[in-house]
Amino acid sequence: MAAEVVPQEGAPNVFLIMTDDAGYGVASTFGGVIPTPALDRVANAELRYTQFHSTALCSPTRAALITGRNHHSGGFGVITEQSTGYPGYASIIGPENATVGRILRKHGYATSWFGKEHNTPSFQYKLAGPFDQWPVGMGFEYFYGFMGGETDQWTPYLFRNTTQIFPWLDKPGYNLTTDLADEAIKYMREVNAAAPDKPFFLYYVPGGTHAPHQPTPEWIEKFKGKFDMGWNALRDQIFANQKRLGVIPDDTD
């Protein structure tokens, strides 16, 4: 029997969530007015990190996050749609920039990516490949999501690994954000059932906070009128919440 790489005993599961175009002070976890009770429970039991850095652009931030490198070092000085042939701007994550998926997979993790991709060069969006710059070629064993910067939440440009799929057909109530959550939960349950001792790394990137903004009617109704106080009052409320949480210094002390 061939040798198999197994993780260290007690290796933790890792669930990494990225939300597009949602600032630091949006979720209630960091003082925002959008309730995120599940994340609040996690933060209350653990830590809230306050030193975050982003590149203020989709693809570059993603490249930095999954490689741990400066976005120019990872070839992403710009978003994929604006890539050029110049160093640092080719939208190619080369072999010298191992992704967290590739590293953890080599240490016995089940690695997966759900949701927005936007790190594959737009000129490689074709079913004939090559697929080395797709998630499955960058160390993520399973991919369920969409290519590019945005997609319709009702009829998404969706892939399972490298095969285009159409789960929204004949489903009038389909919504991508809900589908991504359901598929991620299903995947984790299946991995746990097949290999309960195998930890997972799941990178979860919903597209719902990015354009096009297409929430379901019940969510529109839930937040109707919640922001009528205007920008200035909302900012003051968020700052007060953040000071209470210790996320930002309280200058009245």
Side-chain angles (χ1 to χ4, degrees):
M1 181 177 178
E4 181 179 356
V5 176
V6 296
Q8 292 184 346
E9 184 177 354
N13 294 319
V14 181
F15 188 26
L16 177 61
I17 304 173
M18 170 182 271
T19 53
D20 269 282
D21 298 349
Y24 184 72
V26 169
S28 60
T29 309
F30 290 92
V33 299
I34 303 296
T36 48
L39 294 179
D40 293 353
R41 288 195 297 271
V42 174
N44 289 336
E46 301 296 338
L47 297 172
R48 287 179 175 86
Y49 291 97
T50 59
Q51 295 297 318
F52 287 101
H53 303 273
S54 81
T55 71
L57 287 170
C58 297
S59 305
T61 296
R62 284 169 157 70
L65 179 65
I66 65 174
T67 64
R69 304 287 298 277
N70 178 278
H71 52 298
H72 292 88
S73 299
F76 274 91
V78 292
I79 61 175
T80 59
E81 291 83 359
Q82 296 177 355
S83 63
T84 67
Y86 295 100
Y89 296 88
S91 69
I92 297 287
I93 297 178
E96 70 280 4
N97 293 296
T99 69
V100 62
R102 178 169 288 120
I103 292 172
L104 290 182
R105 187 185 67 182
K106 290 184 177 295
H107 284 78
Y109 272 71
T111 57
S112 60
W113 185 330
F114 287 82
K116 179 175 174 177
E117 204 270 339
H118 213 199
N119 278 132
T120 297
S122 55
F123 52 83
Q124 289 190 5
Y125 291 175
K126 51 182 181 287
L127 300 183
F131 298 115
D132 60 299
Q133 294 296 308
W134 287 53
V136 293
M138 293 191 288
F140 297 87
E141 297 172 309
Y142 186 81
F143 172 61
Y144 186 93
F146 60 94
M147 312 299 288
E150 61 186 52
T151 194
D152 188 274
Q153 295 288 297
W154 315 115
T155 57
Y157 181 51
L158 203 61
F159 288 81
R160 178 179 281 112
N161 297 322
T162 59
T163 301
Q164 189 172 4
I165 57 175
F166 308 88
W168 40 268
L169 290 176
D170 301 320
K171 293 183 180 179
Y174 177 90
N175 178 265
L176 177 59
T177 299
T178 301
D179 183 34
L180 290 173
D182 291 343
E183 287 291 325
I185 293 170
K186 177 183 175 184
Y187 169 83
M188 287 188 287
R189 286 175 174 169
E190 290 176 347
V191 168
N192 184 64
D197 296 327
K198 190 180 184 74
F200 66 78
F201 173 79
L202 194 151
Y203 179 35
Y204 184 75
V205 200
T209 54
H210 190 284
H213 300 296
Q214 298 170 317
T216 54
E218 59 268 26
W219 282 99
I220 294 175
E221 184 62 30
K222 183 176 181 178
F223 285 92
K224 188 175 181 179
K226 296 293 185 180
F227 307 101
D228 288 353
M229 75 287 284
W231 162 251
N232 290 329
L234 177 62
R235 180 182 57 185
D236 292 341
Q237 181 178 341
I238 292 172
F239 281 171
N241 293 343
Q242 291 178 328
K243 291 176 181 179
R244 176 177 51 82
L245 291 170
V247 171
I248 62 175
D250 188 347
D251 52 15
T252 62
D253 291 342

